[in-house]
Amino acid sequence: MGDFFSNLSLGFGVALSLQNLGLAFLGCLVGTLIGVLPGVGPIATIAMLLPITFGLDPTGALIMLAGIYYGAQYGGSTTAILVNIPGEATSVVTALDGHEMAKQGRAGVALGIAAIGSFFAGTVATLVIAALGAPLTGLALVFGPTEYFSLMVMGLVFAVVLARGSILKAIAMILVGVLLSTVGTDLETGEERMTFGLPFLSDGIDFAVLAMGIFGIAEIMRNLDHTEHRDVVRQAIGRLLPNRDDFRQSYKPVLRGTILGAILGILPGNGAVLGPFASYTLEKKIAKDPRRFGRGAIEGVAGPERAHKAGAQTSFIPLLTLGIPPNAVMALMVGAMTIHGIIPGPQVMTKNPTLFWGMIASMWVGNLMLLVINLPMVGMWVRLLKVPYRLMFPAILMFCAIGIYSINSLPTDVMFIGLFGFVGYVLIKFGFEPAPMLLGFVLGKLMEENLRRALIISRGSLETFINHPISAGLLAVAAVLLVIALLPSIRKGRDEVFTE
């Protein structure tokens, strides 16, 4: 226990330095801004800002990027409540009752309960990360290449099961991502693979180029494709602090949502997205009068919002302890760590404790900042919501092009984001989810490396994956999950859940 508190005090020492406080504030502010503006997600923003982090130290860079991620979750809720347009995929559920409350003149209470409860959920999630960090890292240190390969296979299977839409489409996207990760020079033989004789492909496809194209440019094209109607609430926002009655109705959903979200957030394969949906379903099932839901029930805002925020933060656990990104944003974090020469995984905690604990402490500091940024500045965010998208997209496009060019100063990179943007747009049109492709791309390199190591150690014997008990267990879980997900009855139920 003494170690736990000494580590946390080390973390707060790092997080409360003037530079890191400034970066955390900047990250939270930018995150809230892009969460509020529909059509600019945290994935595209983090991909755009990766080049800026080159000049920062690794801890400061990751603190800022993490701030953008959970700031966007807060901003997305504001848009969902006030405009009925979820700025973030996970804010869809908040819009159901939050916007109805806004129409009844209770927008302030909805925003207040969202912000205060989110601070509580963020605090709990930060403590969960701090408590689980050391034991999980200890466990991860006994992992060899065999176990790592099996763990990544299980992570990708989770990504397939939890992805929206067809399972076959999700598998196809992961395989495309893994295939793209093999482009470039083979590290062991020095042979060029799938470069088609083009010199700029000999180093492989740049992670930032793929991420910015598939998420940044494709998102712009998708938003220009359909004109949105913004139903900005005209009623007064009203008081921001919930009264005793509001707290009495919402404290149980807050606790249930926090626990549910924290557990689901740890799951590889974007479990954090399921948190709000699971919480809303649970609250509706146990409510005395389920008909209130969808008509402005405060429980329909309180529970899902907590699950949303807790899941967003506990999704850092697999990244920081095992080096496995559970979702597309965490895959970008892996990219940022790699750019700064840090190998994600259990060694981060032992070799770079200031980074590990500094980042955990900064999450709590960031949550406190978001409380300050969001509640007093609601009026400003409402005005921003009236900015038409046609005025925003040229600036976003320009930042994408400048940002990507500044990494390697290659004109081909700018052309590539255009190509990947078009490909991403076509994929979205045909119902393919691009996030599993990014996960496949990030994990592809690591999987290949660990597969090769495991086979070299076992002298080419594939039995090594079954002979190691941890590896065999992980592969068994992956196989069972995939079989269950492919069963017709389960598949039908899964499709119904996502449709709902």
Side-chain angles (χ1 to χ4, degrees), residues 160-240:
V160 166
V161 175
L162 298 178
R164 274 199 195 86
S166 156
I167 286 181
L168 288 175
K169 283 180 178 176
I171 293 172
M173 292 310 289
I174 281 175
L175 292 176
V176 168
V178 172
L179 192 67
L180 288 173
S181 74
T182 60
V183 173
T185 309
D186 186 323
L187 287 173
E188 289 189 19
T189 62
E191 287 288 318
E192 288 194 352
R193 303 183 295 191
M194 292 187 284
T195 58
F196 304 102
L198 299 168
F200 56 84
L201 281 179
S202 58
D203 286 336
I205 294 166
D206 195 298
F207 170 76
V209 171
L210 181 71
M212 203 181 286
I214 292 288
F215 289 101
I217 308 294
E219 191 66 20
I220 292 169
M221 291 170 80
R222 194 177 68 84
N223 284 313
L224 289 173
D225 189 26
H226 64 276
T227 50
E228 61 181 33
H229 170 64
R230 296 191 188 178
D231 176 22
V232 180
V233 169
R234 284 173 177 78
Q235 282 93 334
I237 285 171
R239 61 187 166 85
L240 288 167

Side-chain angles (χ1 to χ4, degrees), residues 20-36:
N20 289 341
L21 272 176
L23 288 168
F25 183 77
L26 182 67
C28 291
L29 193 66
V30 171
T32 305
L33 177 68
I34 56 121
V36 165

Side-chain angles (χ1 to χ4, degrees), residues 218-459:
E219 191 66 20
I220 292 169
M221 291 170 80
R222 194 177 68 84
N223 284 313
L224 289 173
D225 189 26
H226 64 276
T227 50
E228 61 181 33
H229 170 64
R230 296 191 188 178
D231 176 22
V232 180
V233 169
R234 284 173 177 78
Q235 282 93 334
I237 285 171
R239 61 187 166 85
L240 288 167
L241 282 177
N243 59 25
R244 189 179 291 180
D245 207 38
D246 295 326
F247 275 120
R248 190 177 50 75
Q249 281 179 299
S250 55
Y251 83 93
K252 282 182 182 170
V254 163
L255 293 171
R256 284 191 289 262
T258 302
I259 294 163
L260 200 60
I263 294 166
L264 286 170
I266 300 168
L267 291 180
N270 217 3
V273 168
L274 293 184
F277 295 93
S279 172
Y280 191 82
T281 311
L282 175 70
E283 293 307 325
K284 200 171 176 179
K285 279 220 164 82
I286 60 175
K288 286 176 186 169
D289 182 13
R291 287 171 306 172
R292 288 174 54 246
F293 283 78
R295 295 177 186 176
I298 196 165
E299 300 95 314
V301 176
E305 271 299 299
R306 293 322 67 75
H308 178 186
K309 303 303 183 295
Q313 282 188 234
T314 54
S315 61
F316 278 90
I317 293 176
L319 171 78
L320 290 173
T321 55
L322 305 169
I324 305 274
N327 56 41
V329 175
M330 294 302 134
L332 285 165
M333 291 287 189
V334 169
M337 288 167 103
T338 315
I339 284 166
H340 286 279
I342 295 163
I343 300 159
Q347 296 88 355
V348 172
M349 192 176 181
T350 46
K351 288 183 183 172
N352 211 330
T354 51
L355 172 87
F356 185 89
W357 292 104
M359 206 167 155
I360 287 172
S362 81
M363 287 178 191
W364 188 82
V365 174
N367 272 296
L368 194 59
M369 284 177 175
L370 284 164
L371 206 57
V372 176
I373 291 169
N374 276 272
L375 290 182
M377 294 168 75
V378 164
M380 188 182 89
W381 302 129
V382 175
R383 280 190 207 96
L384 266 175
L385 288 169
K386 292 172 181 170
V387 178
Y389 190 73
R390 67 174 191 279
L391 300 179
M392 288 193 301
F393 89 87
I396 299 168
L397 207 54
M398 185 181 73
F399 278 122
C400 281
I402 293 169
I404 212 69
Y405 184 77
S406 68
I407 298 178
N408 300 315
S409 304
L410 287 174
T412 46
D413 281 356
V414 181
M415 287 147 84
F416 257 130
I417 61 166
L419 172 69
F420 284 129
F422 179 70
V423 170
Y425 172 71
V426 172
L427 289 171
I428 293 164
K429 276 288 181 195
F430 283 102
F432 287 87
E433 180 113 16
M437 182 165 96
L438 196 64
L439 279 180
F441 182 80
V442 169
L443 291 179
K445 285 189 174 80
L446 298 167
M447 280 174 82
E448 185 190 7
E449 219 173 279
N450 284 296
L451 175 67
R452 281 180 154 184
R453 277 186 203 154
L455 291 175
I456 289 166
I457 293 165
S458 67
R459 299 191 176 178

